[in-house]
Amino acid sequence: MNCVTLIMVTASFLSWTAAIFHHSKKGKEKALQYLVEPPVYAEVTSRRGENVTLPCVLRIKPSHYRVKWTKVDPLHRGVENVVLITNGHADKHYGPLGPRARLRRAHALDISLLLSGLQLEDDGQYRCEVINGIEDESVDITLRIDGVVFPYQSSSGRYKLSYIEAKEACREQDGTLATYKQLYRAWTEGLDWCNAGWLNDGTVHYPILDPRPACGGDLPPGIRSYGPKDRTQEHYDAFCFTSTTEGVVFYVPGPLDFSEAVHACREKGANLARVGQLYSSWMFLGLDRCDGGWLQDGSVRFPIRTPREHCGGIPEPGVHSFGFPSKSLRLYGAYCYR
Ligand SMILES: *[C@@H]1O[C@H](CO)[C@@H](O)[C@H](O)[C@H]1NC(C)=O
């Protein structure tokens, strides 16, 4: 046995013994009898539109059992979002994920879940549960949708969106309200934004990398929190999340006013891009242009990957905004999505 094999055997022995305990639903440590414990913090990463496998494997097969896959909803604890239940013979599908879910069954002990056509909302924690009537067991696995977080402000100005309006604004821009985890990750990747925005759990935050007096004062870099806010009475901006799209964004040179921009895209069999689509093309397809262009919401933006001179100073990488200029202004091109 060479050294590498030895290390692998030792590691797998360790994970076998370390894996024996699993936090059960009742909160007490419990030995797993039927399920193989996944690695600590098991996470599967994928993108919108793709197919993914959430692994779950039986150690031994109980004589009678059912397998239940659920999505754990941290916002509504106690609510069980069942995706699929099988008794080994027949599978039943439930909820919005049901039609896109099936068991992989790659071998006799495989109860992994296949999810097809991933959507932004599929991001989150999943639970694979074996029910045999005596001792139920479960393991959790996280599905992370790889994407990009973008701040969004109403065309009527800063801090104009209630929670519901923020949710709707993100949807209109081809996104969802970001989770705290998504905002946190975006902050680690460089997002610094001095306006507070809604997250999907009804809290309000903003991410700061470069502390300055106007943005939380002398606090160290981090996510500034306003905590949970009144969803109907209070108004902020939004942090939206999006991932890959089926189409691509392309630029049509101006100068065009807003309605000319609409037509310019139509002539090319496209529509003015939504903000999320521009961010997606910037993030995943490397879209980089030093030209302001109209978007569907009436804002004007430009995507920069590689900072350079002669582009309004040397802008940081990112999607930059000129806000919402008058729609009759004939100064910009158009970003179209097809
Ligand atoms: C994803 O799964 C669906 C349904 O099972 C299948 O039709 C499609 O070809 C798969 N796509 C990829 C990229 O594997």
Side-chain angles (χ1 to χ4, degrees), residues 48-262:
R48 178 162 60 177
E50 292 182 353
N51 297 346
V52 78
T53 303
L54 304 181
C56 187
V57 177
L58 291 165
R59 223 184 258 286
I60 49 169
K61 223 168 181 168
S63 52
H64 299 286
Y65 69 101
R66 283 184 300 150
V67 171
K68 179 165 79 176
W69 272 97
T70 49
K71 184 162 193 272
V72 183
D73 184 352
L75 302 185
H76 305 95
R77 283 183 206 284
V79 178
E80 197 168 57
N81 303 292
V82 180
V83 176
L84 183 146
I85 296 180
T86 181
N87 60 9
H89 306 291
D91 300 351
K92 282 195 173 167
H93 304 251
Y94 300 89
L97 272 156
R100 294 185 283 119
R102 61 188 179 87
L103 289 191
R104 182 171 62 176
R105 294 196 171 95
H107 51 83
L109 298 174
D110 186 23
I111 52 172
S112 302
L113 190 71
L114 286 174
L115 289 177
S116 59
L118 286 183
Q119 299 176 3
L120 299 176
E121 294 82 359
D122 298 343
D123 185 280
Q125 193 183 341
Y126 289 78
R127 182 163 294 155
C128 169
E129 195 168 354
V130 169
I131 303 161
N132 78 343
I134 309 159
E135 287 270 33
D136 300 344
E137 285 182 11
S138 68
V139 293
D140 286 3
I141 182 156
T142 299
L143 169 60
R144 188 174 72 77
I145 305 290
D146 188 18
V148 55
V149 170
F150 59 96
Y152 193 77
Q153 205 162 77
S154 157
S155 58
S156 38
R158 183 175 182 257
Y159 293 175
K160 297 290 186 202
L161 302 170
S162 69
Y163 174 77
I164 297 296
E165 289 163 344
K167 204 167 190 155
E168 182 59 21
C170 290
R171 203 188 56 73
E172 280 171 6
Q173 300 313 318
D174 192 39
T176 53
L177 269 181
T179 64
Y180 181 84
K181 272 173 128 176
Q182 288 165 345
L183 182 67
Y184 176 81
R185 190 179 183 92
W187 171 74
T188 68
E189 291 169 351
L191 184 65
D192 179 293
W193 196 256
C194 197
N195 294 312
W198 291 104
L199 295 180
N200 83 327
D201 61 358
T203 60
V204 172
H205 291 85
Y206 63 100
I208 294 297
L209 278 169
D210 171 24
R212 45 207 189 273
C215 312
D218 292 336
L219 292 171
I223 311 271
R224 311 277 191 254
S225 176
Y226 289 2
K229 287 290 178 181
D230 189 307
R231 294 185 185 205
T232 52
Q233 300 301 313
E234 304 203 61
H235 295 78
Y236 293 95
D237 294 343
F239 287 104
C240 308
F241 173 79
T242 195
S243 179
T244 41
T245 58
E246 281 180 14
V248 291
V249 170
F250 59 95
Y251 179 74
V252 175
L256 307 165
D257 67 19
F258 181 76
S259 65
E260 288 166 345
V262 171

Side-chain angles (χ1 to χ4, degrees), residues 263-317:
H263 288 294
C265 291
R266 290 238 175 94
E267 275 177 10
K268 299 192 180 298
N271 286 306
L272 275 178
R274 297 166 194 270
V275 177
Q277 292 163 342
L278 184 63
Y279 270 90
S280 178
S281 281
W282 166 76
M283 180 81 166
F284 293 107
L285 303 174
L287 188 67
D288 182 308
R289 272 209 84 99
C290 191
D291 302 289
W294 292 103
L295 297 180
Q296 200 175 64
D297 65 343
S299 64
V300 169
R301 301 175 197 248
F302 63 102
I304 295 295
R305 295 290 297 220
T306 314
R308 54 195 178 274
E309 278 182 80
H310 313 300
C311 186
I314 303 179
E316 300 271 306

